[in-house]
Amino acid sequence: MNLPNKLTLLRVILVPFFILFFYLDKVPGNYLIAFILFALASITDALDGHIARKNNLITNFGKFLDPLADKVLVVAALCCFVEKGLMSAIPLIIIVSREFMVSGLRLVTANEGVVVAAGIWGKLKTAFTMVAIVVILIFCIAGVSDKFAIVSDILIWCSTVLTIISGGVYLKGYWKYIDTDK
């Protein structure tokens, strides 16, 4: 297993630890530890792709696991936020629905031998959402999440808008593979 794939696998492994520390309210510094774990996992997302492209280490395993690892990390954090009342479930539903749509689109196009590569809008959506999650975690560490709820809401809704745009771009770009009933 090459280094980029190990970094992707590390991201997946960090998710349950992030969740564990996010919920361990009786452990001093639990949000700080959760923040560090999430930040580390987010950094592996940037590193694995960069290293894979730079050193021509792109593999089918990486193509499969990298987007899955991103989705698991982000959705886990957003689910935790919803359960703790830090955000509404509506953006989460939209974000997860878009992920199902893109995954379904990838399945349909795979039958045609077409790979739906991550586009700039998808990458922007992922990066912005990860930054929004980091900011919300910082509010949790500082114990001011209630005071900055409007900032959190704006960040999450901006992520949701980017999610809708990127989903629309994917749908438009690959619509011919779906609309085959003509």
Side-chain angles (χ1 to χ4, degrees):
M1 182 177 292
N2 65 32
L3 179 59
N5 289 343
K6 288 177 183 176
L7 289 171
T8 301
L9 196 55
L10 175 62
R11 187 159 64 254
V12 173
I13 291 168
L14 288 174
V15 171
F17 293 101
F18 162 78
I19 295 168
L20 175 69
F21 281 100
F22 187 81
Y23 283 110
L24 285 176
D25 293 332
K26 293 188 176 18
V27 172
N30 70 309
Y31 287 134
L32 177 60
I33 296 167
F35 165 81
I36 291 167
L37 292 169
F38 186 89
L40 179 62
S42 296
I43 290 167
T44 68
D45 182 34
L47 282 177
D48 65 7
H50 175 73
I51 294 169
R53 286 184 298 275
K54 181 180 176 189
N55 298 307
N56 198 25
L57 297 172
I58 297 169
T59 65
N60 285 336
F61 180 79
K63 288 180 194 176
F64 163 73
L65 192 60
D66 182 65
L68 182 61
D70 295 343
K71 289 167 184 43
V72 169
L73 177 64
V74 167
V75 170
L78 296 178
C79 285
C80 291
F81 291 169
V82 167
E83 187 174 355
K84 289 255 188 165
L86 299 172
M87 66 176 270
S88 165
I90 296 169
L92 175 62
I93 293 165
I94 294 168
I95 290 167
V96 169
S97 296
R98 179 262 187 211
E99 299 305 340
F100 283 139
M101 186 270 300
V102 171
S103 294
L105 186 60
R106 284 190 166 115
L107 288 172
V108 168
T109 61
N111 282 338
E112 303 291 327
V114 175
V115 175
V116 177
I120 187 65
W121 284 102
K123 291 177 181 182
L124 183 62
K125 177 258 325 169
T126 299
F128 191 90
T129 303
M130 287 182 173
V131 168
I133 291 167
V134 164
V135 170
I136 294 168
L137 287 168
I138 290 170
F139 291 160
C140 290
I141 293 166
V144 295
S145 56
D146 291 345
K147 294 176 185 170
F148 290 97
I150 188 72
V151 174
S152 298
D153 286 345
I154 290 169
L155 290 172
I156 292 298
W157 280 105
C158 286
S159 293
T160 305
V161 168
L162 287 171
T163 296
I164 293 167
I165 291 169
S166 70
V169 167
Y170 282 119
L171 204 52
K172 182 180 179 204
Y174 295 93
W175 183 255
K176 65 183 177 186
Y177 298 100
I178 298 169
D179 191 22
T180 59
D181 297 332
K182 292 182 180 178

